[in-house]
Amino acid sequence: MIRTQLTKLALALVLTITSLPLRAQDNFKETFAETNRPASQNIRVTLTDAQDRAATVPITILKGKKEGPVFTILSGVHGYEYPPIIAAQELIQELDTDRLTGTVIIVPIANTASFFSRTPFKNPQDDVNLNRAFPGDASGSITQKIAAMFTTDIIPVSDVLLDIHGGDANEDLLPFVCYYNNEQKPEQTQLARKLSKASGFQYMVTYPYTLKDTDPAHYAFKQAVQDGKTALSIESGKLGNVQKEAVASIKKGVYQMLHKMEMYQTKSSPEKPIELNGQAYVKAETKGVFFSDLKAGDSVKKGDILGHTKDEFGNTLAEIKAPQSGIILYKIGTPPVNVGETVFCIGYNR
């Protein structure tokens, strides 16, 4: 008798739960629209494509006591770039909504499938690189749906989008902050420059912006720039590891940007950065085993031998020379190399 009553009670509970509407905390737009302040909410947005591949995107929305700008932090677009992910988690725990003016949106792991499968660059579910998928496609594969959700739901409500990256599994990288020089949007570009200078990073990189309104942006923060937002990116961390100093520099950069926007008061001591407004990408011309004694941050001169590619037996196939004098922003830090891959990126002043 008791077992029968418990069974009926359990069945009634299941029917009640399944008949409830979707919870607001599982829907970004509804959660963001809530007016309670201060507030801190963690949600998981679940997306499914036509092949029944599912993705869950964790998002934190922090609302300060007073209304103000919306500052969005995106990390984990590449799931093997760990320092940005750890920094985002720590920021979620540390930011005090009582001290915050405006709203901070944090996506700690944009590409959870890549993260949990330890897959560099691409989402293993559909073999698509999320940072080449923007603006996305709401009816496309799972990675395209993730990009579309960011493009249609999160970027439009953001005043500033900070896209945080680091050296992936095979990349040795010099920490830097960067933004696009979009001359068509001078106000947004000027703010991106001010925030970059305030971040405290030693190196500030400016990319040319030649994107047309109808061109696919591919990159997350380039999509935000195309959509008329202020957007910039931090690169910190390397070789698929968590370096404490990389996590600390990311967090310092975020705090000082929020301070600059008068959203969060903190100690601010930015140093004048070294500006690099040109980039030379050195591509591998042969498939083989890559060797180089250089590291990210080293200065090179035009014509210097940067490294070699060798065959499986150790025979030299090709020399790799510097096409431009400057400083190595990032390089391949592991031996395998394929034709057309970027083995070095050299930053310089035009």
Side-chain angles (χ1 to χ4, degrees):
M1 179 70 177
I2 293 175
R3 181 177 297 178
T4 301
Q5 290 176 335
L6 288 174
T7 301
K8 290 180 178 178
L9 180 62
L11 179 59
L13 181 61
V14 169
L15 290 173
T16 300
I17 292 173
T18 55
S19 65
L20 291 174
L22 284 175
R23 294 176 300 163
Q25 60 263 35
D26 290 334
N27 183 294
F28 173 79
K29 287 184 176 181
E30 291 182 13
T31 306
F32 182 80
E34 293 178 4
T35 58
N36 294 334
R37 288 183 177 274
S40 174
Q41 295 195 63
N42 297 325
I43 66 173
R44 293 183 176 93
V45 176
T46 300
L47 304 169
T48 306
D49 67 9
Q51 286 72 41
D52 289 326
R53 295 173 294 205
T56 300
V57 182
I59 304 172
T60 295
I61 302 173
L62 302 169
K63 292 188 175 182
K65 278 187 174 181
K66 298 179 181 179
E67 293 188 3
V70 178
F71 191 103
T72 295
I73 299 168
L74 184 61
S75 64
V77 167
H78 290 143
Y80 219 115
E81 297 175 358
Y82 298 140
I85 294 169
I86 302 304
Q89 284 190 320
E90 293 185 7
L91 287 166
I92 290 170
Q93 297 298 317
E94 292 176 6
L95 284 168
D96 184 354
T97 54
D98 286 333
R99 295 173 54 193
L100 176 66
T101 296
T103 301
V104 174
I105 301 169
I106 302 178
V107 182
I109 312 176
N111 193 342
T112 52
S114 168
F115 176 79
F116 286 109
S117 65
R118 304 183 185 93
T119 302
F121 304 115
K122 296 182 179 181
N123 183 342
Q125 295 173 296
D126 56 4
D127 201 38
V128 174
N129 185 338
L130 179 56
N131 211 37
R132 300 294 186 275
F134 284 82
D137 182 351
S139 60
S141 70
I142 189 62
T143 302
Q144 293 169 325
K145 288 178 77 74
I146 296 171
M149 187 269 289
F150 290 139
T151 300
T152 60
D153 292 1
I154 295 180
I155 292 176
V157 301
S158 304
D159 294 297
V160 175
L161 183 131
L162 174 64
D163 187 15
I164 310 177
H165 288 264
D168 217 301
N170 67 330
E171 294 172 338
D172 181 23
L173 180 137
L174 177 71
F176 61 90
V177 62
C178 57
Y179 68 96
Y180 284 101
N181 183 26
N182 183 2
E183 296 179 352
Q184 304 302 314
K185 297 287 194 311
E187 183 177 343
Q188 291 88 337
T189 301
Q190 187 62 25
L191 178 55
R193 178 176 175 81
K194 288 180 179 178
L195 295 176
S196 295
K197 292 180 73 174
S199 69
F201 277 84
Q202 184 180 4
Y203 294 94
M204 183 173 76
V205 176
T206 306
Y207 295 124
Y209 184 85
T210 58
L211 198 66
K212 298 177 182 177
D213 290 344
T214 56
D215 291 339
H218 296 303
Y219 309 127
F221 90 105
K222 200 172 188 178
Q223 180 67 52
V225 173
Q226 187 183 51
D227 292 348
K229 304 295 182 175
T230 293
L232 64 164
S233 182
I234 285 175
E235 294 274 0
S236 186
K238 58 185 179 180
L239 295 169
N241 289 302
V242 178
Q243 298 88 23
K244 289 183 179 179
E245 63 274 15
V247 174
S249 67
I250 291 169
K251 289 169 56 180
K252 177 183 176 182
V254 169
Y255 278 120
Q256 297 205 150
M257 289 180 191
L258 292 175
H259 180 88
K260 186 69 175 178
M261 294 190 66
E262 300 182 351
M263 294 179 65
Y264 203 85
Q265 295 300 311
T266 186
K267 291 182 180 179
S268 180
S269 56
E271 300 176 5
K272 186 177 180 179
I274 297 170
E275 298 189 39
L276 303 171
N277 58 15
Q279 301 83 38
Y281 298 93
V282 185
K283 307 284 187 179
E285 296 181 355
T286 58
K287 179 180 179 179
V289 184
F290 172 65
F291 290 86
S292 176
D293 292 328
L294 297 172
K295 64 183 183 301
D298 285 345
S299 295
V300 298
K301 293 182 179 180
K302 183 177 180 178
D304 283 354
I305 296 175
L306 304 178
H308 303 80
T309 52
K310 299 185 177 183
D311 65 17
E312 299 91 328
F313 305 103
N315 300 309
T316 298
L317 297 172
E319 288 183 341
I320 301 172
K321 294 184 178 181
Q324 171 71 45
S325 298
I327 187 168
I328 298 173
L329 291 178
Y330 56 87
K331 64 178 284 288
I332 285 184
T334 53
V337 68
N338 296 287
V339 175
E341 289 182 339
T342 298
V343 288
F344 292 93
C345 176
I346 300 171
Y348 63 94
N349 280 317
R350 295 181 185 277

